Amino acid sequence: MSDLIRLSAAELGERLASGDVSSVEATQAHLDRIAAVDGAVHAFLHVDGERALETAADIDRRRAAGDRLGALAGVPIAIKDVLVTEGMPSTAGSRILQGWLPPYDATPVRLVREAGMVPLGKTNMDEFAMGSSTEHSAYGPTHNPWDLERIPGGSGGGSAASVASFEAPLALGSDTGGSIRQPAHVTGTVGVKPTYGAVSRYGSIALASSLDQIGPVTRTVLDAALLHDVIAGHDPHDSTSIPEPWPSMADAVRRADVAGLRIGVVKQLDSDGFQAGVRQRFHEALELLERQGAEIVEVSAPHFEYAIAAYYLILPAEASSNLAKFDSVRFGLRVTPDGGGTVEQVMAATREAGFGPEVKRRIILGTYALSAGYYDAYYGSAQKVRTLVQRDFDAAFASVDVLATPTAPTTAFKLGEKLDDPLAMYLNDVATIPANLAGVPGISIPAGLAPEDGLPVGIQFLAPAREDARLYNVGGALEQLLLAEWGGPILDRAPDLSTHELLATEEGAV
Amino acid sequence: MARAELMDYDKALELFEPVIGLEVHVELNTTTKMFSPAPNPANSAFHGAEPNTLVTPVCLGLPGSLPVVNGAAVRSSISLGLALGCTIAESSRFARKNYFYPDLAKNYQISQYDEPIAYEGSVEVELANGRVFQVPIERAHMEEDAGKLTHVGGSTGRIQGAEYSLVDYNRAGVPLVEIVTKPIFGAEADAPELAKAYVSTIRDIALSLGISEARMERGNLRCDANVSLRPRGTEPLGTRTETKNVNSFRSIERAVRYEIQRQAAILAKGGTITQETRHWHEDTGTTSPGRPKSDADDYRYFPEPDLLPVEPSRELIEELRAVLPEPPAARRRRLKGEWGFTDLEFQDVVNGGLLVEVTLTVAAGATPAAARKWWTGELTRLANAGQTDAASLATPEQVAELAALVGEGVLTDRLARQVLEGVVAGEGSPREIVEARGLAVVSDDGALVAAIDEALASQPDVLAKIRDGKVQAAGAVIGAVMKAMHGKADAARVRELVLERAQG
């Protein structure tokens, strides 16, 4: 395995800046890695090596010409397939968008390109980001690099697995209820859901508009901060994007200091419902922070227990409307019934063939929740719960600077284990959903391996809206403490996937 | 389609009280669309664009695209709301109206539902007989238009029987304001005329604000008419129908009258009215049932999560209020005085929905009398023959030019009518038509004298009579001269010359 692929994005950026290595070399190294292991991991739905190398060569030329370039210029990046990319397939993991070539770039993609980063391709995901395991992708599941029999989390399992398996130094993800943070938790990577409105949603294929947020997927906290600084900022194309400027997240990591920081442990998310090893690593991490001068206090968030119920009304309601545009008239799949049909029949046949079962389940749920006579009881009540969850956060943040929880209840489960039990699947997001309902930012960073199964465990920090820098402060500090404890990055302990080269499987077959 | 039975109008009014409600859609003429930076085809700068050229990812509802509210459209909507006497909401919200239709790119329409931008207003409307109504306004809300379907392969041009349909998304996202009245009671036999006069007043308001081109024939202004009847002496409202596709002022009046007569015939026989939308057919002057409206219609409205509430500042509202144009009723009173029209002449203009046309024609240089004469005379006659509105046939500039040509003596009234036919046929400006058709009056006395001398020579008996002082005998000679000049002579001048030559 080339050393280039084991560098963090920040390190690679420095090597590129010093002229020690070219972007073409770095990009080729990652393309080689993808060729070697992605047959087994299946993190990517689409790789465009030719265009990536062209982009890399262009950056190399600009650097040689003396252009001033950003810290991540020339660094390859993987992009979750939920973001539209001009001239590059963008399916959101769905059959209904097979073959569609978008005519425009999502704003975060545009910003990444403008920063000189090199898009490698598009990563796998649960169809329309509905799921916690990437098993709901229409193109077959992604495999967890720590154990190919296990799920990489979801919906952004592809982005997390690509970073964890060194196919890309970093990636873009999207988080509607935990789709960045939960995959980070099960793959030993870092994932950040910024404040709602921090990163433009323009060009992100919408799941639930009031919950979706784009964010970084990386191996280090500094890398996440550097990428966060690239993609955050006001976008006139997204009315919900925050107009005010942001402080540098990278600076927050570099100046990380937790002395005097008040960390609240959410009582309701520190219970028997969490796997023993997950809780153990969580508390060990808190002790490390306490030894550095942080103050750990218990806080109560009494309405968090209703968050999942509210989430599974608000999300399907918005999704049922957002997904109505997939009707075969203007783009994507078109299925015509035998012997032709009316436009309604073509729409119905297309949606029947193009959507998977989880998508249909949520469309039906959402359509029902918005129906006349049920709206108040379902959608209306869910919005009230959402307000109560926001009040829980307000009350907690009145006394603490950040909140801490385990990111998810368990380590990576086996592929197929929860596929037939939607409720069990939904419970994966119990700790991550409240942040989306309230619009507050969250980060998940590796906290170690669970003693009972040797699989990665993450710890989540949550901050008040617009205080994303606090996450990078506490996350950066904890990362340094843990690295010292472990003697190196946790991913050093992951299996060497290159031995799986010959075990490359057919898409979807395990 | 079986022709519906109609009750005599007076009889229907004897038995039932008509209650009407009107929904008017006004297309705003902003430079860009309601939620996208695409050019707005309801703005004259972008007329006649090829299908699907005025579109962005937002208009097409492409995955990932997001709407952004057009501030100019919000300001136009506030101005319109203020002109309708409405309260402007401190905070109003967009909502999604969900239904599948191929002209609706996202399969939901962004509209306003329970929080419209303007509510509770009133508009003064005056009828031909001098009755003045205060039409109560329920609300005015902002929304986006849908695209346009063209059905190909059927005989009717409608979706039934078509082989396939073409979609043009240029219109998708055009900014609309929908103005909804409260139920209007007490119009009685004037209900059809009130409906027409109300829409005409809305048009006047939109034009004086400069926020819309407001041409019904272009679909800038669209009216849905709700009609219900209740038996005399009863309280509860009857079941209503909503007649759509009413695309001219005269149709509005006819459609309401038709529905009153149709519903009365059904109710008088003990039948019930089906709550439904009905389509107006201009050619037959009838309505036919469209989609039944029922509780099954569930648009699953919910607040649009992609947009923030619209919260105009007090300052902006007051700024827009300060520059509101004169209200239509006051303006009418003022214009009537300024133009010096009789009551009857002025009502002719108002009833024809031609107030704006006459105003603009006067502004373009015509005398009020000439402007009134052409609009309420020849153009109205042509409009009636073509079952359309006079305003759709010519522009005020063209009419002013025509009046100027008559004033200059280039055209006689008779020739001017021919020129006007050319204008309506789209042959160009009056001057261009005069040129192209060679219609100018022969004002060369030499040519006239030659023709007169010839006519007098061939009718010596007439010449003798004229010389005897029987001046009326000159008519025969004048007729012959006009014929020889193919009508392109000023008859008064010919008469002068005939008398002169006869004496000579």
Side-chain angles (χ1 to χ4, degrees), chain A residues 235-314:
Chain A
D235 179 10
H237 291 301
D238 176 0
S239 307
T240 60
S241 125
I242 295 172
E244 287 79 17
W246 295 86
S248 163
M249 303 300 153
D251 282 355
V253 178
R254 294 191 181 105
R255 289 201 291 257
D257 178 7
V258 293
L261 188 77
R262 290 174 62 85
I263 301 174
V265 175
V266 180
K267 189 168 74 178
Q268 286 81 1
L269 292 174
D270 184 20
S271 70
D272 293 345
F274 288 72
Q275 187 181 321
V278 171
R279 284 185 81 189
Q280 184 187 330
R281 297 301 181 218
F282 173 64
H283 285 284
E284 286 168 4
L286 291 176
E287 281 160 28
L288 276 179
L289 289 166
E290 196 166 23
R291 266 183 262 148
Q292 292 298 309
E295 193 184 335
I296 312 294
V297 295
E298 191 182 80
V299 299
S300 179
H303 299 99
F304 278 22
E305 66 171 300
Y306 308 112
I308 285 191
Y311 177 84
Y312 277 101
L313 288 167
I314 293 167

Side-chain angles (χ1 to χ4, degrees), chain A residues 84 97 100 103-104 196 200-206 209-210 236-240 317-318 320-327 329-331 343-344 347 351 366-368 370-373 375 379, chain B residues 37 56-69 93 96 98-108 114 159 163 167 169 295 297-308:
Chain A
V84 304
L97 276 176
W100 179 57
Y104 74 110
Y196 182 80
S200 173
R201 292 183 296 114
Y202 190 69
S204 170
I205 299 173
S209 311
S210 72
H237 291 301
D238 176 0
S239 307
T240 60
E318 292 184 11
S320 69
S321 175
N322 283 333
L323 296 185
K325 63 175 61 167
F326 300 96
D327 64 0
V329 175
R330 291 160 307 281
F331 49 81
V343 68
E344 284 85 359
M347 284 178 177
R351 290 167 68 82
T367 303
Y368 187 78
L370 288 176
S371 298
Y375 180 95
Y379 188 77
Chain B
T56 66
V58 178
C59 314
L60 297 175
L62 293 190
S65 63
L66 293 172
V68 174
V69 177
R93 206 151 53 153
R96 291 190 188 175
N98 295 285
Y99 64 97
F100 280 84
Y101 209 68
D103 64 5
L104 194 62
K106 303 179 294 295
N107 285 319
Y108 59 80
D114 49 357
I159 195 165
E163 281 168 40
V167 201
Y169 291 103
D295 294 341
D297 262 346
D298 183 353
Y299 293 117
R300 289 171 283 119
Y301 279 102
F302 73 103
E304 166 58 279
D306 286 330
L307 294 172
L308 304 176

Side-chain angles (χ1 to χ4, degrees), chain B residues 357-372:
Chain B
E357 276 64 32
V358 171
T359 308
L360 294 175
T361 306
V362 170
T367 63
R372 181 188 63 75

Side-chain angles (χ1 to χ4, degrees), chain A residues 222-237:
Chain A
L222 178 60
D223 284 359
L226 289 168
L227 183 53
H228 191 133
D229 286 340
V230 168
I231 59 176
H234 182 246
D235 179 10
H237 291 301

Side-chain angles (χ1 to χ4, degrees), chain B residues 65-343:
Chain B
S65 63
L66 293 172
V68 174
V69 177
N70 178 349
V74 173
R75 287 191 292 278
S76 293
S77 305
I78 293 172
S79 294
L80 183 51
L82 291 171
L84 299 171
C86 288
T87 304
I88 304 302
E90 277 177 34
S91 176
S92 74
R93 206 151 53 153
F94 287 100
R96 291 190 188 175
K97 180 179 182 180
N98 295 285
Y99 64 97
F100 280 84
Y101 209 68
D103 64 5
L104 194 62
K106 303 179 294 295
N107 285 319
Y108 59 80
Q109 180 194 30
I110 306 178
S111 181
Q112 294 193 302
Y113 182 51
D114 49 357
E115 297 178 60
I117 188 157
Y119 55 92
E120 295 285 333
S122 164
V123 175
E124 188 179 302
V125 177
E126 194 176 344
L127 303 187
N129 59 15
R131 281 182 81 186
V132 174
F133 275 90
Q134 293 295 333
V135 174
I137 305 293
E138 167 101 22
R139 57 187 277 156
H141 69 254
M142 301 182 279
E143 61 186 26
E144 58 176 341
D145 210 342
K148 211 175 234 170
L149 290 176
T150 306
H151 304 296
V152 183
S155 55
T156 58
R158 298 185 64 186
I159 195 165
Q160 290 83 2
E163 281 168 40
Y164 60 93
S165 304
L166 300 172
V167 201
D168 177 8
Y169 291 103
N170 281 355
R171 199 179 67 182
V174 166
L176 291 176
V177 178
E178 180 176 346
I179 306 164
V180 183
T181 68
K182 294 182 179 177
I184 303 166
F185 301 95
E188 297 295 348
D190 290 332
E193 192 199 335
L194 176 61
K196 182 184 78 170
Y198 166 76
V199 180
S200 172
T201 303
I202 297 294
R203 178 167 183 271
D204 287 354
I205 292 172
L207 283 172
S208 62
L209 288 167
I211 59 169
S212 173
E213 294 183 24
R215 296 177 74 124
M216 285 203 91
E217 77 280 7
R218 279 189 184 276
N220 299 138
L221 204 65
R222 307 199 281 267
C223 175
D224 302 334
N226 291 278
V227 177
S228 71
L229 299 183
R230 58 177 172 188
R232 294 283 164 197
T234 63
E235 195 60 32
L237 288 175
T239 304
R240 69 189 161 85
T241 60
E242 181 182 356
T243 304
K244 289 182 177 290
N245 194 33
V246 200
N247 295 328
S248 69
F249 290 110
R250 56 182 247 120
S251 306
I252 297 168
E253 186 166 9
R254 290 169 72 205
V256 171
R257 190 181 171 97
Y258 178 89
E259 269 304 288
I260 290 172
Q261 292 180 269
R262 188 188 69 85
Q263 291 184 19
I266 293 170
L267 292 172
K269 281 190 163 176
T272 54
I273 305 301
T274 313
Q275 186 174 344
E276 62 190 356
T277 55
R278 297 185 67 86
H279 280 274
W280 170 251
H281 303 285
E282 184 65 52
D283 47 354
T284 55
T286 59
T287 65
S288 67
R291 225 159 26 88
K293 276 215 155 185
S294 68
D295 294 341
D297 262 346
D298 183 353
Y299 293 117
R300 289 171 283 119
Y301 279 102
F302 73 103
E304 166 58 279
D306 286 330
L307 294 172
L308 304 176
V310 176
E311 295 174 339
S313 69
R314 276 294 119 195
E315 292 73 35
L316 174 66
I317 294 170
E318 291 316 313
E319 204 176 287
L320 293 171
R321 192 195 305 276
V323 296
L324 279 184
E326 197 179 7
R331 190 161 53 104
R332 285 175 191 200
R333 285 189 283 274
R334 177 175 60 77
L335 288 176
K336 183 164 172 284
E338 282 179 13
W339 290 344
F341 289 175
T342 64
D343 283 355

